[in-house]
Amino acid sequence: MTANPKARIKLDRRTLLIGGGVGAGLVVAWAVWPRTYLPNLTASPGESLYGAWLKIGTDGHVTVAVPQAEMGQGVFTAMPQIVADELGADWKMVGVEPAPLNPLYANPLAAATLFELALGSMPEQLQRTFAARTGLMLTGCSTSIRYFEDQLRHAGAAARVLLCKAAARRWNTDWQACGTANGFVVHGNQRLPFGQLAAEAADEEAPDPVPLRTGDDNRLYGQPLPRLDTPAKVDGSANFAADIRLPNMVYASIRQGPVGTTELVRVDRAAADKIPGMLKVVTTRDWVAAVANNWWAADRAIEAMRPRFKVPDPVINDDSIEEALGKAFDGEGARIAQAGDLAAEFRGAKIIFAEYRVGLALHAALEPMTCTASFADGKLALWLPTQAPGLARRAAALAAGIGEGRVTVHPMMGGGSFGAKLEHDVAAQAALLAKEIGRPVQLTWPRGEDFRHDRYRPAAAGRLSAKLNERGQIAGWLAKIAAPETGRELARRLLGGDPVIAASLALPGNGDPSAIAGATPPYAIANYAIDHHPADYGIPTGYWRGGAHSYTAFFTESFIDELAHVAGIDAVAFRMAMLGQQPRLARCLQTAAQLGGWQGGTPGSGQGVACHSFRGSHIAVMAEAHLTGDRKIQVDRLVAAVDCGRVVNPELVAQQIEGGLIFGMAAALGASTGFTENVADAREIADLALPTLADAPDVTVEIIRSGSDTGGASELAVPAVAPAIANALQAATGVRFRRLPLLSDAE
């Protein structure tokens, strides 16, 4: 290391301070836990460290530590771009590396969103403290830029100030008269490259507070800069988990039992031994793995063994799921949100009612669950794509029977996730295999296993009721939603017995706010109520791109269209009349309608709209769709207008919106599975009826310029797509489709 440790601590003082007192009911030991944490970013020869976020080399290169998993969403570009902008760096000299596990990089915003039920009773400052002390480095819920932007800006600004101070000493001038641009410190006609100043600048001390850049000159923020990870992905040099190769490494495939309480009862080891390349069979109560000198042999051996598991009880089928959702409505439910006096408004009134259902949705990422593990000298190393490296480390340490401090996690870029790689079963399994075999092992779940043991987006049902007044406006609204308590389940599964979480989950009350997230309409409705009816149908569920918004938006925006039809009002005008207090969303809706050439949703037009507010951002989608002669849905066009506040990189936002539109379209048309005797019916990608390139619609995305705070983008487009398509089909056919995937019912 070439940097002065004292300077590093002072440099990052504002991010090192993890404040917060000890709240009542928390473990007393928290009182003696540290309030500050030191960076553990390492410098290579010729590099100087600048706190926890960046380092600068003598050749002028700038490397930014990114604490978020790159799953294709662009954090390896957007986050360095924020630092580079404040630093005044040359983008061609900027690189990136995954940040090490450290409480400094905890993401309490993602933690509070994912584990809302468990953490919601804590004050915000206590949530931040908990996330830091438990090392919750999390990627998810469109929080990367929303949470880390300020820290990244100050990290870049602090490094800029130190470079200016070092240059000012050489020039014998005031550092505040110096500036930076394109990798140089400048003062009038004088210029010095970052590389020549890096080592001595690291010994300077930054002021508190650090001044941020002002003005629009030489700014990288808001520019469509090229992605830093594109060249390596194009030429094949980017390493994913499946690319890891270690000396003496072997490969493993796995088979787990059906959903429910089950256990392995029989395998045909002799059949496995006949497969060329087969090395060993490893069994536990819950699964069997075949280890071979190549993955194909391992997977063939699993098939040859014909594993048999104890039949779980109760039996889970499509009918049992439907029955559980229906029964969930029998009780009172938990009132999660309300306004006005709905009971009085509904009393004696003519009520309009509709029921909607959505099926289980799979993540179906291109890259299945995979992890490479090496166990030697009592230490474990893991290479895997993970959205929660600390949780993966904890699970692997527990499986291997060692302390977490003896486990090193190497986060890899992921070939998609959509929430799936928050889960860490594969890390625990790979750790156990590596310890058992005594050689490095790369475990990859077969595609069928990835589908059978996905943590699905839950199946859910919505019963919506409303009253229209004499002017055709919504006077009362009731949404009763049956869905599993996925937030509670996620907290129990991922946070694994933490006493604070256990205490939070044990608090009295029922209902799960995260299970009905997004169900409160964005419209001006004086009297409304949102109820959650917990449903338990025995299938593990988890976080899926957009969370509950992916089905609550379908319920809400489909029902809004039905009410507009009853009122005899154009669907866009009907919405606009209720968006007076939501100007950003209203502008999105107007823009999408204008760009799409909205024709009023007249019968035969095949046009539908939907809008949604999500993670501090707003979107409206107009869809054009029709049914083909062989009764297939053809989506011809999708137009989206987006307001996500300040935009770091408009190209990244456009990519995420375009990808989200197609992802949401896939979920509207397929990406689901039924269940037969506790086993998912979908086994291969071909079973999901995903849209192909030939099915792709014409896509238009308009990003509305906004000075509002940065909002989320990676999930934003998903919720509004399905209802927009359903509304378009109603205009095209006169038939209302109330189930996802569309056409999966008998209507």
Side-chain angles (χ1 to χ4, degrees), residues 62-262:
V62 176
T63 301
V64 178
V66 174
Q68 300 286 273
E70 177 59 79
M71 300 286 173
Q73 79 278 35
V75 288
F76 273 19
T77 298
M79 297 183 87
Q81 187 169 344
I82 296 169
V83 174
D85 175 63
E86 282 292 340
L87 179 59
D90 179 355
W91 187 243
K92 295 189 293 296
M93 299 297 289
V94 176
V96 64
E97 68 178 48
L101 270 171
N102 191 305
L104 286 171
Y105 307 117
N107 187 345
L109 182 58
T113 307
L114 286 168
F115 309 121
E116 180 180 0
L117 189 67
L119 300 181
S121 59
M122 295 184 189
E124 182 178 350
Q125 186 58 48
L126 208 54
Q127 291 179 5
R128 297 167 69 93
T129 304
F130 175 81
R133 290 176 174 172
T134 53
L136 285 177
M137 286 178 63
L138 297 170
T139 303
C141 308
S142 301
T143 58
S144 296
I145 304 302
R146 287 194 293 146
Y147 180 70
F148 288 106
E149 180 182 18
D150 184 64
Q151 298 175 62
L152 292 165
R153 290 188 68 193
H154 280 83
R160 168 175 48 80
V161 168
L162 298 188
L163 289 165
C164 287
K165 280 192 166 188
R169 288 187 189 277
R170 292 195 185 188
W171 295 328
N172 193 27
T173 189
D174 182 1
W175 70 266
Q176 296 181 80
C178 301
T180 58
N182 300 318
F184 289 85
V185 178
V186 296
H187 178 257
N189 294 326
Q190 296 174 299
R191 292 160 56 89
L192 280 173
F194 287 176
Q196 290 186 19
L197 298 166
E200 57 195 90
D203 289 323
E204 297 285 348
E205 293 189 10
D208 188 6
V210 174
L212 299 177
R213 290 185 70 189
T214 58
D216 297 326
D217 294 337
N218 302 307
R219 300 307 294 259
L220 300 180
Y221 197 107
Q223 300 301 313
L225 301 180
R227 291 180 62 138
L228 294 180
D229 54 346
T230 296
K233 288 180 176 178
V234 170
D235 66 22
S237 61
N239 273 333
F240 291 82
D243 299 315
I244 296 299
R245 295 293 181 268
L246 302 176
N248 203 32
M249 189 177 83
V250 293
Y251 302 82
S253 184
I254 196 169
R255 179 67 56 81
Q256 301 162 88
V259 168
T261 303
T262 183

Side-chain angles (χ1 to χ4, degrees), residues 43 183 294 364 393 448 459 463 543 547 559 599 703:
N294 66 87
R393 179 178 66 175
R463 291 182 177 176
Y543 192 82
F559 194 46
Q599 300 172 19
I703 301 173

